[in-house]
Amino acid sequence: MYRGPRRGHAWWQGRFRGCGYRLTLPRQAVLDVLSRTSKHLSAEEIYLEVRKINPGSGLSTVYRTLELLVQMGLVFKFDFGDGRARYELIRNTRDKNHHHHHLICINCNRVIDYSEFIREEEELLSKTEKELSNKYDFKIKKHIVQFYGLCGECRKELED
Amino acid sequence: MYRGPRRGHAWWQGRFRGCGYRLTLPRQAVLDVLSRTSKHLSAEEIYLEVRKINPGSGLSTVYRTLELLVQMGLVFKFDFGDGRARYELIRNTRDKNHHHHHLICINCNRVIDYSEFIREEEELLSKTEKELSNKYDFKIKKHIVQFYGLCGECRKELED
DNA sequence: ATTGAGATTGAGAATCATTATCAATAAGGA
DNA sequence: TCCTTATTGATAATGATTCTCAATCTCAAT
């Protein structure tokens, strides 16, 4: 089954060329790191991984690349309230709108992705968005839904 | 009609005493500022207002007081994504759980409070919370729901 | 009143993630 | 090859928040 040009990095390459950008080694490295993990890494963490692939990469470039990727719609940027941004590669191009949400442990900063009730959530959110847009003359671009709490391990740990 | 000891600042005074804290002038000033506005002020903004009431107050103390108030459950602390925290006095002690949510303009940072669909939202959220708590062994403490977009004025402004 | 322990304060230094600066380098087209 | 532009890495700058610390205040016990 032919899958088009989406083998290896050819796909990203195309995306970049289409926007007039170059898919350079430092940028490649950032994409590699993001594509190999399911965690929500910070810029610093990405930088440390990137240096294993391309030791010449600088932190500035990692920041610049992440900004670019977010702006290109390839990466999500999250704020989980611990003072540093977190980044996540957007994997499924098809159902872009079907994004997941997060449970964030306020003790160990672990992040759990979930998609339960996402349909109901999205339904309610879009209904709310429609209503609020009218009432307040406000054009909603995106929403944030996050749950904060304690993961199992931290609960045990703190119950002592 | 007698309203109990909630005249002036006597109420806060009680709250403070009860916790073993003192309701000093610099703290009073922060509470005054917060109680007089419906905006979502930043620490710096609060500081500037506080100095009109009590010119001796320092920025550190404002930060410390805000932290204290949040910890005492008298004030909400929000992050609207513009790099500074925002604070809001919790006014109605009765229905603590009936908190509102926010529309945030990504252009001018205006914040609109809304309570439409809050009931439905809370219903869905609590249902989701229950389910997720079980499935992921995760004790949810709080949630965040925020809408980002463009307010009417900014939309006009940017359509040029 | 006096005292002493502890709470509170303001000024300034320190922190830390992120951005801005800038000269050097690489790449692609004419 | 030459030239314009994109990209880079090192470093400095930024800016909100937190930390430090000596000075001041409060209040209960003497």
Side-chain angles (χ1 to χ4, degrees):
Chain A
M1 177 203 331
Y2 178 62
R3 287 209 164 80
R6 307 185 179 206
R7 300 275 302 292
H9 296 136
W11 173 56
W12 294 331
Q13 184 85 41
R15 249 331 247 276
F16 271 76
R17 296 312 260 271
C19 297
Y21 303 128
R22 295 183 207 145
L23 187 43
T24 61
L25 218 58
R27 286 171 177 174
Q28 188 82 246
V30 170
L31 278 164
D32 281 354
V33 167
L34 287 175
S35 68
R36 284 179 197 164
T37 187
S38 65
K39 293 182 197 164
H40 305 76
L41 300 177
S42 67
E44 182 81 26
E45 289 167 339
I46 293 167
Y47 170 66
L48 292 176
E49 288 302 311
V50 156
R51 302 218 40 153
K52 296 180 187 168
I53 299 173
N54 183 41
S57 282
L59 182 56
S60 306
T61 301
V62 169
Y63 271 106
R64 277 187 295 236
T65 302
L66 288 170
E67 190 190 355
L68 189 65
L69 293 173
V70 168
Q71 181 230 305
M72 288 174 69
L74 295 177
V75 163
F76 280 137
K77 180 179 184 178
F78 292 109
D79 174 6
F80 293 148
D82 64 341
R84 65 193 62 190
R86 306 265 166 190
Y87 300 88
E88 182 183 346
L89 189 63
I90 302 174
R91 288 195 149 74
N92 43 350
T93 322
R94 295 187 199 157
D95 46 351
K96 256 184 198 170
N97 301 326
H98 191 280
H99 60 264
H100 58 269
H101 287 158
H102 301 102
L103 306 180
I104 300 137
C105 179
I106 53 184
N107 186 241
C108 69
N109 293 324
R110 181 201 311 267
V111 176
I112 299 172
D113 295 356
Y114 73 90
S115 0
E116 288 80 6
F117 297 108
I118 288 286
R119 181 157 337 213
E120 286 100 318
E121 264 187 39
E122 295 297 333
E123 244 168 53
L124 177 57
L125 289 175
S126 74
K127 179 176 142 200
T128 306
E129 285 186 16
K130 204 168 295 174
E131 185 83 5
L132 295 178
S133 289
N134 284 334
K135 177 155 186 180
Y136 295 107
D137 188 26
F138 194 97
K139 175 69 182 169
I140 292 174
K141 296 283 188 183
K142 71 163 187 172
H143 60 251
I144 288 177
V145 176
Q146 285 170 355
F147 291 99
Y148 289 88
L150 289 172
C151 70
E153 289 188 27
C154 287
R155 195 128 36 80
K156 283 176 208 149
E157 193 186 311
L158 296 177
E159 271 172 0
D160 300 337
Chain B
M1 177 198 337
Y2 178 61
R3 285 211 166 81
R6 306 184 178 210
R7 301 273 302 293
H9 296 136
W11 174 56
W12 295 331
Q13 184 85 39
R15 246 334 243 271
F16 271 76
R17 297 312 260 273
C19 295
Y21 303 129
R22 295 184 206 144
L23 187 44
T24 61
L25 217 60
R27 287 172 176 172
Q28 188 81 247
V30 170
L31 278 165
D32 281 354
V33 168
L34 286 174
S35 68
R36 284 180 198 166
T37 186
S38 64
K39 294 183 196 163
H40 304 75
L41 300 178
S42 67
E44 182 82 25
E45 289 166 339
I46 292 167
Y47 170 65
L48 292 176
E49 287 304 311
V50 156
R51 302 221 34 155
K52 295 180 188 167
I53 299 174
N54 183 40
S57 283
L59 182 55
S60 308
T61 300
V62 170
Y63 271 105
R64 277 187 295 235
T65 301
L66 289 170
E67 189 191 355
L68 188 66
L69 293 173
V70 169
Q71 180 231 305
M72 287 174 69
L74 294 177
V75 163
F76 280 137
K77 179 179 184 177
F78 293 109
D79 174 7
F80 294 149
D82 64 340
R84 67 192 62 190
R86 305 265 164 192
Y87 301 86
E88 183 184 344
L89 189 62
I90 302 174
R91 288 195 149 74
N92 42 350
T93 322
R94 297 191 197 155
D95 46 352
K96 256 184 196 168
N97 302 323
H98 191 280
H99 59 266
H100 58 269
H101 287 157
H102 301 103
L103 306 179
I104 302 137
C105 180
I106 52 184
N107 186 241
C108 69
N109 293 323
R110 182 200 312 265
V111 176
I112 300 172
D113 296 356
Y114 74 90
S115 6
E116 288 81 5
F117 296 108
I118 286 286
R119 183 159 333 216
E120 286 100 318
E121 265 185 40
E122 296 296 334
E123 244 168 55
L124 176 57
L125 289 175
S126 73
K127 178 175 141 199
T128 307
E129 285 186 15
K130 205 169 293 175
E131 184 84 6
L132 295 178
S133 289
N134 284 334
K135 177 155 185 180
Y136 295 107
D137 188 27
F138 194 97
K139 176 68 182 170
I140 292 173
K141 296 283 191 183
K142 71 162 188 172
H143 60 252
I144 289 177
V145 175
Q146 284 170 356
F147 291 99
Y148 289 88
L150 288 174
C151 69
E153 289 188 26
C154 288
R155 194 129 36 78
K156 282 176 208 148
E157 192 186 313
L158 297 176
E159 270 170 2
D160 300 335

